[in-house]
Amino acid sequence: MLGASRRSVCTAAVAAAGAGSRRRAAAGVASAVSGDSSVSSSSAPPRSVINGEPGVPQIQKRLLSVLAAPKIIGTDNAASLKLREGSLVGRRYESSAAAVDSSDTPPVEKHEYQAEVNRLMDLIVHSLYSNKEVFLRELVSNASDALDKLRYLSVTDPDLIKDGAGLDIRIQTDKENGIITITDTGIGMTRQELVDSLGTIASSGTAKFLKALKESQEAGVDSNLIGQFGVGFYSAFLVSDKVAVSTKSPKSDKQYVWEGEAESSSYTIREETDPEKLLPRGTRLTLYLKREDKGFAHPEKIQKLVKNYSQFVSFPIYTWQEKGYTKEVEVDEPVEAKKGDDETKTEVKKKTKTVVEKYWDWELTNETQPIWLRNPREVSTEEYNEFYKKTFNEYMDPLASSHFTTEGEVEFRSILYVPATKKEDITDRKTKNIRLYVKRVFISDDFDGELFPRYLSFVRGVVDSNDLPLNVSREILQESRIVRIMRKRLVRKAFDMILGISCSENRDDYERFWENYGKFLKLGCMEDKENHKRIAPLLRFFSSQSNEELISLDEYVENMKPEQKDIYYIAADSLSSAKHAPFLEKLNEKEYEVLFLVDPMDEVSVTNLNSYKDKRFVDISKEDLDLGDKNEEKEEIKQEYSQTCDWIKKRLGDKVARVDISNRLSSSPCVLVAAKFGWSANMERLMRAQSMGDMSSLDFMRSRKVFEINPEHEIIKGLNAACRTNPDDPEALKAVDILFETSMISSGFTPDNPAELSGKIYEMMSTAMASKWASHAQPAEMNLQRDSPVSSEPIEAEVIEPEMVDENQKK
């Protein structure tokens, strides 16, 4: 693009040469020219390219070659172009302005940026702010700055406040005509200041004032000035067709009125001559609202906006409100009285009646001293609770609060609370629980993880800082290193506050917290690896020795046996399933405590933690469980049953990865454990329940199961004998199938074909019942026949098998 633009300049110059114009060839060319070294740069002044000589194509060619030369320095250091006998000749100069003769340098024109004022105002008014109601915040902030300036300047010049008027802001509304008037008793403006501040878009009087303070070495003063961008005033046009600013500066004897309209590119300034509208000092803004925005002129609406955005501005804000009081008045009440049979007479009696007298008066709307600016030692618990209820519209006291000040690279003050009841869902990404203030002016409560991570979204509070990185509309917190540091410190303080609840003597407080927000902390284990050390002590679980009470990981570690190296856990769908799982048999014998993860989020959160205080989390439902009881006898049993394990693996095929001798069973014949890096039975159940679950990966993980057998159980001993004597016995193979499928159920897995398993169990039960009770039923029938009376009917002879005869004889 740069080369194309330069070639266009060159082409235009050559065309101008043919037309006889008087332009210089060197204008706009930003390159050094290569030419004959014998030609001196000061030999002759450069001739114009408008000589009209026939060598124009050659000139154009040479000029294009000059523009393409690599020795391009800049427009100020370009070499002079010269024409001699129809050819373009020049001399190359280095990057030095001194090398170019001033007489040969083309003139440089300076232009000011031009802007369409209408378009610029439209962008400021309609594109800068996303919410119309912030106009009041901006205008009140400007009024507060004017009061602050007066307070600063009056220290060195007491005559500025000699009239004795108080420092305050007053807002009055005219609901019928749609007019809002905002008056402050601040520094005011002179005529020239009106032109400089209001007549110049994006000119911030506050920014200039702060600069002057720094230059006069007064920057050490704690500044409460809010403005910084110079566009807040124009937010008035969000809701107004016309704005009038009447202002009186103590530096001037005259009062001036600035008037501007939303759709106009100009404004007017005149001197105020009406005695009734004169001000002793300060500024009065009058907003003439648009038809669709006249709802802002209601006194209740203004009062609500002030309390929301400017509740903690340093100066008192009064709003014009309708009030009333009750009084007793006497009224005449007509009473009909009978005078005769047909005549009635109306009598008047005096009666007292209560009426409400209404009147208009100024009402203080804000609190000038926010609670977070006070010393925490001077604030009582009742005051913290009252502030919490008032700010967040709550009726219950919070579980805990934390009031702190952070200094250093980032300075801010904050009060955080843990609510007593849960109102947010764990899936809510945006909450309005953190109210951000900049210099006590409310900015926003609509955040998506900038100040707090999602798993701490239940924490409520206020954050106030003087130098946060905001965008021009002061509505968006821009991402920066300062914000990241602030987020870290807020998260750390939140964890300290929650830890304080867990260490409280009243155990019920943390039980209530865990019931409401336990899932949030488990989510933190998944999403915030950096804070695992802070989250882990706050977690609570059931265990095999806790008698259905929640315990912490610290309590578990304290109860560990001296020889125990790991933290054992099992995940199940209920507390009852976890208690009766076959995986616990050996651990119960050793009195090892096992955590019961019965919440769907428990297993994932513990898996993400991986360890706690150098103790690994071990799932007892997975392979390679080490209980520290290896000896030679166990190795001999493995060798003895190795043939049986291979026989069972051959029968089960791809259903299991392998068959091993179990070291976790004592009373159950077998158990099905998951692979070390595969899903547990509980996780497989959860993945099945997912509507968007990946079934292909589920199939893969299912194939990685290990079938463990208990060699001390009678069933396994019988199968071992069958394997050695008759490995192809159908009954033995059927027993292996039934054993495997029943172990799936006891281990928490779901059989592939529950109906087929049920059929096999019914068949086995029928065989067992027939062999046990059928032989007892026949002698009972014979006894009944002997006891019955003799019948004349012929009796059929019963054919008895020899085997049956032998059995009856034996019995």
Side-chain angles (χ1 to χ4, degrees):
M1 295 236 359
L2 183 59
S5 63
R6 290 179 174 175
R7 282 194 293 272
S8 64
V9 172
C10 179
T11 305
V14 175
S21 62
R22 306 297 298 178
R23 295 182 182 175
R24 301 181 64 87
V29 179
S31 62
V33 182
S34 299
D36 189 358
S37 60
S38 63
V39 180
S40 174
S41 63
S42 59
S43 59
R47 282 184 278 175
S48 176
V49 297
I50 62 171
N51 290 334
E53 297 181 358
V56 171
Q58 180 67 19
I59 294 174
Q60 183 175 0
K61 179 178 178 181
R62 294 289 300 275
L63 188 57
L64 289 174
S65 67
V66 169
L67 291 174
K71 199 71 172 181
I72 296 177
I73 306 302
T75 56
D76 294 336
N77 300 327
S80 301
L81 298 181
K82 298 184 179 182
L83 291 177
R84 176 173 294 180
E85 297 180 358
S87 62
L88 182 64
V89 181
R91 184 183 181 99
R92 179 181 301 171
Y93 286 99
E94 295 299 327
S95 177
S96 174
V100 181
D101 188 15
S102 60
S103 61
D104 296 339
T105 304
V108 178
E109 296 182 359
K110 184 178 181 180
H111 298 276
E112 297 289 340
Y113 286 107
Q114 301 298 319
E116 281 191 46
V117 178
N118 288 342
R119 179 62 177 157
L120 184 59
M121 286 291 293
D122 182 72
L123 288 174
I124 292 175
V125 173
H126 298 103
S127 302
L128 196 59
Y129 300 97
S130 60
N131 192 356
K132 281 188 174 183
E133 64 184 25
V134 300
F135 82 94
L136 191 63
R137 179 196 72 184
E138 297 296 312
L139 298 180
V140 169
S141 298
N142 287 347
S144 175
D145 283 351
L147 293 167
D148 258 324
K149 292 175 190 176
L150 179 64
R151 186 173 61 181
Y152 282 130
L153 296 175
S154 63
V155 175
T156 56
D157 189 0
D159 292 338
L160 295 177
I161 55 174
K162 61 183 179 180
D163 56 7
L167 302 180
D168 58 27
I169 303 170
R170 297 179 183 268
I171 307 175
Q172 191 171 8
T173 60
D174 185 348
K175 182 169 57 176
E176 296 181 357
N177 297 317
I179 298 175
I180 299 177
T181 304
I182 304 173
T183 306
D184 67 75
T185 57
I187 191 62
M189 289 178 281
T190 63
R191 184 184 182 282
Q192 187 59 41
E193 288 172 340
L194 274 177
V195 175
D196 294 340
S197 298
L198 304 188
T200 306
I201 297 175
S203 174
S204 173
T206 300
K208 295 177 182 178
F209 184 77
L210 288 175
K211 183 179 179 181
L213 281 180
K214 291 180 180 180
E215 291 176 354
S216 60
Q217 298 181 354
E218 296 179 10
V221 182
D222 184 16
S223 172
N224 294 323
L225 296 174
I226 301 167
Q228 53 183 318
F229 299 112
V231 296
F233 166 76
Y234 304 102
S235 64
F237 291 105
L238 285 169
V239 295
S240 308
D241 285 324
K242 178 182 176 182
V243 177
V245 181
S246 182
T247 180
K248 169 69 168 61
S249 172
K251 301 177 183 179
S252 174
D253 297 332
K254 297 181 180 180
Q255 181 172 327
Y256 296 95
V257 179
W258 180 99
E259 290 184 351
E261 297 183 1
E263 302 298 332
S264 176
S265 60
S266 61
Y267 59 90
T268 62
I269 296 179
R270 60 179 175 84
E271 182 181 346
E272 181 62 78
T273 56
D274 189 349
E276 296 182 356
K277 297 181 179 180
L278 292 179
L279 298 170
R281 182 191 69 235
T283 303
R284 179 192 298 120
L285 270 71
T286 305
L287 310 183
Y288 300 89
L289 301 180
K290 300 175 183 178
R291 181 186 300 273
E292 65 271 17
D293 295 318
K294 287 188 176 181
F296 286 107
H298 287 260
E300 297 82 5
K301 180 69 173 178
I302 291 295
Q303 189 178 47
K304 180 181 178 181
L305 293 179
V306 170
K307 288 185 176 181
N308 185 40
Y309 288 102
S310 306
Q311 173 79 5
F312 303 108
V313 169
S314 300
F315 301 96
I317 303 175
Y318 296 93
T319 56
W320 189 247
Q321 299 291 332
E322 185 180 24
K323 300 182 179 182
Y325 66 93
T326 59
K327 66 177 183 178
E328 301 289 338
V329 296
E330 289 186 353
V331 295
D332 296 335
E333 183 178 356
V335 178
E336 294 184 355
K338 288 186 178 181
K339 188 176 181 181
D341 294 337
D342 298 330
E343 295 181 5
T344 58
K345 183 180 179 181
T346 302
E347 297 179 356
V348 177
K349 291 187 177 181
K350 297 289 185 180
K351 187 177 181 180
T352 303
K353 184 179 180 181
T354 302
V355 296
V356 178
E357 285 285 338
K358 294 185 178 181
Y359 66 98
W360 290 83
D361 197 4
W362 294 107
E363 180 178 324
L364 181 64
T365 307
N366 69 322
E367 299 177 8
T368 57
Q369 179 65 17
I371 190 174
W372 61 79
L373 294 181
R374 295 166 58 185
N375 190 332
R377 298 178 182 178
E378 300 175 357
V379 184
S380 64
T381 303
E382 290 74 17
E383 288 179 296
Y384 283 127
N385 295 345
E386 187 64 28
F387 175 77
Y388 167 76
K389 294 177 184 178
K390 187 176 181 180
T391 305
F392 298 102
N393 297 321
E394 284 288 345
Y395 62 93
M396 294 182 63
D397 291 338
L399 286 176
S401 63
S402 177
H403 183 186
F404 59 93
T405 301
T406 301
E407 297 179 350
E409 187 175 1
V410 179
E411 296 184 4
F412 65 91
R413 297 172 181 266
S414 178
I415 301 178
L416 301 179
Y417 294 95
V418 175
T421 57
K422 181 182 69 172
K423 288 190 175 182
E424 295 75 21
D425 190 77
I426 195 171
T427 57
D428 294 340
R429 287 194 170 271
K430 284 191 176 183
T431 62
K432 294 185 178 296
N433 289 343
I434 300 297
R435 294 176 62 86
L436 176 65
Y437 292 82
V438 172
K439 299 180 180 178
R440 302 167 313 284
V441 176
F442 174 68
I443 299 301
S444 178
D445 58 2
D446 187 10
F447 299 107
D448 188 10
E450 290 91 347
L451 294 178
F452 271 100
R454 181 170 59 141
Y455 68 91
L456 289 178
S457 60
F458 62 89
V459 177
R460 298 182 181 180
V462 295
V463 179
D464 186 12
S465 178
N466 290 343
D467 51 357
L468 279 184
L470 301 174
N471 69 339
V472 180
S473 65
R474 298 199 294 168
E475 296 174 347
I476 303 172
L477 188 64
Q478 295 176 342
E479 179 63 22
S480 69
R481 182 169 174 268
I482 294 178
V483 177
R484 290 193 294 271
I485 295 174
M486 176 179 287
R487 173 188 165 112
K488 279 187 177 181
R489 296 182 180 177
L490 286 173
V491 170
R492 190 180 308 160
K493 289 294 184 179
F495 278 125
D496 292 343
M497 179 173 55
I498 298 172
L499 186 62
I501 303 176
S502 66
C503 298
S504 173
E505 296 180 357
N506 188 357
R507 193 181 179 94
D508 294 338
D509 287 344
Y510 196 76
E511 289 181 358
R512 186 164 46 156
F513 169 84
W514 183 256
E515 182 181 355
N516 289 327
Y517 309 112
K519 291 183 182 294
F520 288 82
L521 296 183
K522 295 173 187 176
L523 179 64
C525 295
M526 308 174 200
E527 296 185 345
D528 192 355
K529 187 176 181 180
E530 295 181 359
N531 286 305
H532 276 179
K533 291 184 178 180
R534 291 187 174 92
I535 298 175
L538 304 174
L539 300 178
R540 296 293 184 268
F541 303 99
F542 293 104
S543 79
S544 57
Q545 300 178 8
S546 64
N547 296 324
E548 298 188 3
E549 291 185 1
L550 293 169
I551 65 168
S552 66
L553 294 177
D554 288 325
E555 291 173 321
Y556 181 95
V557 172
E558 290 177 3
N559 296 333
M560 289 176 62
K561 298 294 181 180
E563 68 276 9
Q564 185 179 345
K565 299 179 181 179
D566 302 317
I567 300 175
Y568 299 113
Y569 72 88
I570 182 173
D573 59 347
S574 66
L575 198 58
S576 177
S577 299
K579 285 182 178 179
H580 300 94
F583 306 100
L584 274 74
E585 293 174 358
K586 279 289 185 182
L587 286 95
N588 287 338
E589 288 183 0
K590 292 177 173 289
E591 296 184 351
Y592 288 171
E593 191 171 13
V594 180
L595 297 177
F596 294 156
L597 312 185
V598 296
D599 187 83
M601 298 180 66
D602 284 347
E603 185 176 3
V604 183
S605 59
V606 166
T607 304
N608 278 273
L609 286 178
N610 193 30
S611 65
Y612 181 71
K613 291 186 176 180
D614 299 328
K615 308 288 185 181
R616 293 185 308 115
F617 287 100
V618 175
D619 187 350
I620 64 172
S621 68
K622 291 189 175 182
E623 63 177 334
D624 298 336
L625 179 64
D626 183 12
L627 298 178
D629 51 1
K630 293 182 179 179
N631 51 45
E632 296 180 357
E633 184 179 351
K634 296 292 183 182
E635 296 297 328
E636 293 178 359
I637 293 176
K638 285 186 177 181
Q639 294 179 2
E640 180 183 353
Y641 280 83
S642 62
Q643 183 179 350
T644 304
C645 292
D646 295 338
W647 175 63
I648 296 175
K649 173 65 174 75
K650 182 179 179 181
R651 176 61 181 175
L652 297 179
D654 294 336
K655 294 180 181 179
V656 296
R658 67 178 187 274
V659 179
D660 286 342
I661 300 299
S662 178
N663 65 337
R664 72 190 86 203
L665 298 177
S666 59
S667 59
S668 299
C670 58
V671 71
L672 193 63
V673 301
K676 188 174 183 179
F677 300 104
W679 287 335
S680 66
N682 183 66
M683 184 58 63
E684 185 175 317
R685 176 181 59 83
L686 294 175
M687 294 305 297
R688 281 178 176 271
Q690 298 295 322
S691 59
M692 302 297 290
D694 186 359
M695 299 307 296
S696 61
S697 61
L698 179 63
D699 292 338
F700 171 75
M701 301 302 286
R702 288 176 59 193
S703 66
R704 295 294 303 163
K705 296 181 180 67
V706 179
F707 188 57
E708 293 187 358
I709 58 175
N710 180 11
E712 298 178 359
H713 199 277
E714 294 299 326
I715 295 178
I716 303 302
K717 290 180 179 179
L719 289 178
N720 186 38
C723 171
R724 296 179 181 277
T725 58
N726 189 6
D728 297 328
D729 184 5
E731 295 297 328
L733 296 176
K734 184 187 293 185
V736 171
D737 294 338
I738 295 176
L739 200 64
F740 170 74
E741 293 180 356
T742 52
S743 69
M744 288 187 69
I745 298 176
S746 63
S747 302
F749 296 97
T750 303
D752 295 334
N753 194 341
E756 182 180 353
L757 174 61
S758 301
K760 293 177 181 178
I761 295 175
Y762 296 154
E763 183 180 353
M764 182 176 290
M765 291 177 62
S766 299
T767 304
M769 293 175 66
S771 61
K772 185 174 183 179
W773 289 303
S775 58
H776 294 284
Q778 291 177 0
E781 291 178 359
M782 293 175 64
N783 293 332
L784 287 174
Q785 291 176 3
R786 293 193 191 102
D787 296 338
S788 61
V790 180
S791 175
S792 59
E793 297 180 359
I795 301 175
E796 294 184 2
E798 182 180 4
V799 179
I800 301 176
E801 297 293 336
E803 294 181 357
M804 298 293 292
V805 172
D806 293 342
E807 288 183 3
N808 291 335
Q809 291 175 355
K810 290 178 181 179
K811 295 187 178 186

